[in-house]
Amino acid sequence: MNKSVRIGAGMGFYGDSILPALDVAKKGNVQYICFDDLAELTMAILEKDRKKDPTKGYTKDITKTMTTLLPECYPRGIKLITNAGGINPHGAAEEVRKIADQLGFHHLKIGVVSGDNIFEQIDEFEKEGVSFHSMDGSESLDPYRERLLFASVYLGSQPIVEALRQGADIVITGRTTDSAQFAAPLIYEFGWSSTDWDRIASAVLLGHLLECSGQASGGNFSGEWWDIEQMENIGYPIAEVNEDGTFVLTKAEGTGGLVCVDTVKEQFLYEVHDPTHYITPDVIVDFTSARLEDVGPNLVRVSNVKGKPAPQTLKVLMGYENGWAGEGMMGYTWPFALEKARKAEQVIRRQIELQGIPAEEIHASFLGFNSLHGPMVKEMDSDHYSEIYLRIAIRTKKMEDAAKLGRLIPPLALNGPAFGGGGLGGMQKPRQLLGLFASLIDRELIERGVKVEILQV
């Protein structure tokens, strides 16, 4: 018989719901559940946590994840792979080891992958001749050096494969590509060569389809979404994969949502720039070669995925402090709701000028009119707007300057156009802004420092 492997999607971001992953464990008949917990912004959040407490820097919800899933997964032999380690994968592993010990799972092995965090090595790399420029080569890192918060390289699947070879039941990594957690168990289980480009490309595409939890099973469907049943109990997608790399997407029996070619296509196109050249550390995928086919209710077969050799460089993402945002909101009602909101914007802009608030940027939008589509929106007659909310925000270098905007909002309740509510929204605290700088680095320089360790509970 041909071997097959079943992989289920876990959470798709830090803070996602764990309940559908529990259904995957109980009903999905899977061997692996994989998680993509890291957005680019998440790394900055985790670095702030680590600065406050050096034992932190991983996603805090890993505690609930493991407490919830381990009692179901460990007895079934289901392995868990997650990049929830963030800035501190060893800290995450210690938290998981503590949970497993409390639950009585004393023979569990935890694999830890590190080496993606190069924040402390930037000077060393530059001495070796590395020049950090933006990916299009137009900008140097120099203007941002003193404001850096983190610097993490996107790793591929091979360190995870190694952890599985060493017997890990749980693998915890830092920054990886979104697809690496899903591709690794297939490479391990089937023994694929690291240069088997077509099969690895299929594994990466599978990871791309599963990485965002319920999106591929109808979560963000823009078709006849009103007909999708049990959205309150959506099932995360599951893939049954054959040794040749073809796979069938489905979901656990009895769960809500929908898996069909149309729902899968929406996730297929998600965050893809050049579909002929989707670059990952493992392989460059040609998405245009793939074939999607409905083969039954909630069953979509994916085949004919083609790959090209992996790149010689890896992406490094650096986050830096980029000032502070102050913002506020005011609501206005019919009649002339939009006109009132526009007048309030004019008043606030003039007050910013008169009070000398050093705003480097001012942004205003009108919820109920153009907050999503901006200048593309065609304005209607005033009578069509029953309510409009003005949201205005400024960017400043200093927190105290950003806070000054909030003080301008509440007085408009009495000293501006007749309002409908929301004046106290201007009193929210300023928030620090993050800038992102992406560069490339020779993969050999990074891979020589990647470590795989196994911790025994």
Side-chain angles (χ1 to χ4, degrees):
M1 292 180 63
N2 291 327
K3 183 178 181 179
S4 66
V5 176
R6 281 176 70 92
I7 296 177
M11 299 186 302
F13 63 92
Y14 182 10
D16 201 356
S17 173
I18 190 62
L19 297 180
L22 188 60
D23 283 334
V24 170
K26 290 180 176 180
K27 308 173 186 178
N29 191 30
V30 298
Q31 292 138 280
Y32 295 87
I33 301 178
C34 305
F35 304 74
D36 175 30
D37 288 275
L38 300 181
E40 294 178 340
L41 175 62
T42 309
M43 302 300 286
I45 295 170
L46 299 180
E47 175 58 20
K48 290 178 182 179
D49 289 344
R50 189 194 65 81
K51 282 186 175 180
K52 295 176 185 176
D53 181 348
T55 68
K56 305 302 181 184
Y58 54 86
T59 66
K60 296 175 184 177
D61 59 359
I62 197 171
T63 303
K64 182 176 182 180
T65 296
M66 294 299 167
T67 303
T68 302
L69 288 183
L70 275 179
E72 299 296 334
C73 292
Y74 185 73
R76 291 178 168 88
I78 300 172
K79 299 194 175 191
L80 305 175
I81 303 175
T82 177
N83 58 10
I87 299 291
N88 184 10
H90 287 94
E94 286 300 327
E95 175 69 6
V96 174
R97 180 156 63 175
K98 180 180 72 175
I99 293 166
D101 185 58
Q102 291 172 348
L103 293 172
F105 300 141
H106 299 303
H107 300 288
L108 192 112
K109 291 183 177 180
I110 304 169
V112 186
V113 175
S114 60
D116 60 292
N117 183 355
I118 64 167
F119 184 76
E120 303 292 342
Q121 299 170 270
I122 292 176
D123 290 343
E124 177 185 332
F125 283 131
E126 288 184 326
K127 289 177 182 177
E128 293 188 51
V130 175
S131 179
F132 290 104
H133 283 80
S134 56
M135 291 179 67
D136 63 2
S138 65
E139 192 176 15
S140 167
L141 176 63
D142 291 343
Y144 311 106
R145 284 292 298 270
E146 299 304 315
R147 293 182 280 150
L148 282 184
L149 295 170
F150 69 87
S152 296
V153 177
Y154 283 81
L155 301 181
S157 62
Q158 289 302 323
I160 304 172
V161 174
E162 180 56 32
L164 294 173
R165 286 180 182 143
Q166 294 184 31
D169 302 296
I170 298 172
V171 183
I172 298 172
T173 76
R175 178 74 269 182
T176 58
T177 58
D178 299 346
S179 57
Q181 288 72 242
F182 301 87
L186 301 177
I187 296 169
Y188 164 70
E189 291 282 353
F190 294 129
W192 292 339
S193 162
S194 61
T195 58
D196 194 342
W197 305 123
D198 288 348
R199 294 184 185 186
I200 294 178
S202 188
V204 166
L205 174 55
L206 177 148
H208 175 71
L209 293 175
L210 268 63
E211 71 189 53
C212 291
S213 57
Q215 281 191 190
S217 50
N220 277 350
F221 187 41
S222 60
E224 295 179 349
W225 48 266
W226 51 87
D227 287 335
I228 296 180
E229 298 180 353
Q230 293 189 66
M231 287 293 287
E232 72 284 357
N233 183 37
I234 193 168
Y236 286 171
I238 295 168
E240 180 155 358
V241 192
N242 300 312
E243 195 163 359
D244 64 359
T246 61
F247 58 92
V248 174
L249 286 178
T250 186
K251 61 184 183 67
E253 191 71 29
T255 59
L258 174 66
V259 178
C260 67
V261 165
D262 288 342
T263 63
V264 172
K265 276 183 179 179
E266 291 206 7
Q267 176 62 23
F268 184 89
L269 297 171
Y270 178 71
E271 292 183 339
V272 172
H273 297 280
D274 181 352
T276 68
H277 206 71
Y278 184 77
I279 304 173
T280 76
D282 295 305
V283 66
I284 297 173
V285 188
D286 181 0
F287 277 41
T288 64
S289 65
R291 298 291 178 266
L292 279 63
E293 177 186 7
D294 284 314
V295 292
N298 292 307
L299 296 169
V300 174
R301 185 174 185 268
V302 181
S303 61
N304 200 49
V305 185
K306 300 298 180 184
K308 308 168 189 176
Q312 293 303 307
T313 55
L314 299 177
K315 178 181 175 181
V316 53
L317 185 73
M318 306 181 191
Y320 59 90
E321 296 174 348
N322 196 30
W324 293 83
E327 62 182 299
M329 189 177 295
M330 288 285 287
Y332 298 93
T333 62
W334 181 94
F336 305 113
L338 183 56
E339 287 82 353
K340 293 172 184 174
R342 281 175 168 159
K343 183 62 177 179
E345 179 199 359
Q346 293 173 13
V347 170
I348 294 171
R349 284 182 180 270
R350 182 63 176 145
Q351 288 178 338
I352 290 172
E353 181 181 347
L354 290 172
Q355 295 187 23
I357 299 174
E360 296 185 323
E361 186 179 354
I362 303 174
H363 174 78
S365 61
F366 303 97
L367 281 69
F369 170 49
N370 68 353
S371 61
L372 293 178
H373 296 106
M376 295 187 294
V377 176
K378 183 179 180 180
E379 188 170 340
M380 297 184 292
D381 182 87
S382 258
D383 280 347
H384 285 85
Y385 301 110
S386 59
E387 57 186 54
I388 294 288
Y389 273 75
L390 163 67
R391 176 189 176 272
I392 189 162
I394 62 173
R395 180 168 64 87
T396 63
K397 289 182 179 179
K398 298 179 180 179
M399 180 178 68
E400 54 267 30
D401 289 327
K404 293 175 182 177
L405 176 68
R407 301 180 192 130
L408 303 180
I409 306 299
L412 284 180
L414 300 180
N415 305 326
F419 86 120
L424 291 178
M427 301 305 290
Q428 57 191 289
K429 294 180 180 179
R431 55 189 174 85
Q432 190 176 44
L433 295 174
L434 171 71
L436 295 176
F437 185 92
S439 186
L440 296 173
I441 189 169
D442 190 312
R443 66 186 305 148
E444 292 183 5
L445 295 175
I446 299 301
E447 289 173 348
R448 71 189 184 190
V450 174
K451 294 181 180 180
V452 177
E453 302 165 72
I454 301 294
L455 305 181
Q456 180 74 54
V457 176

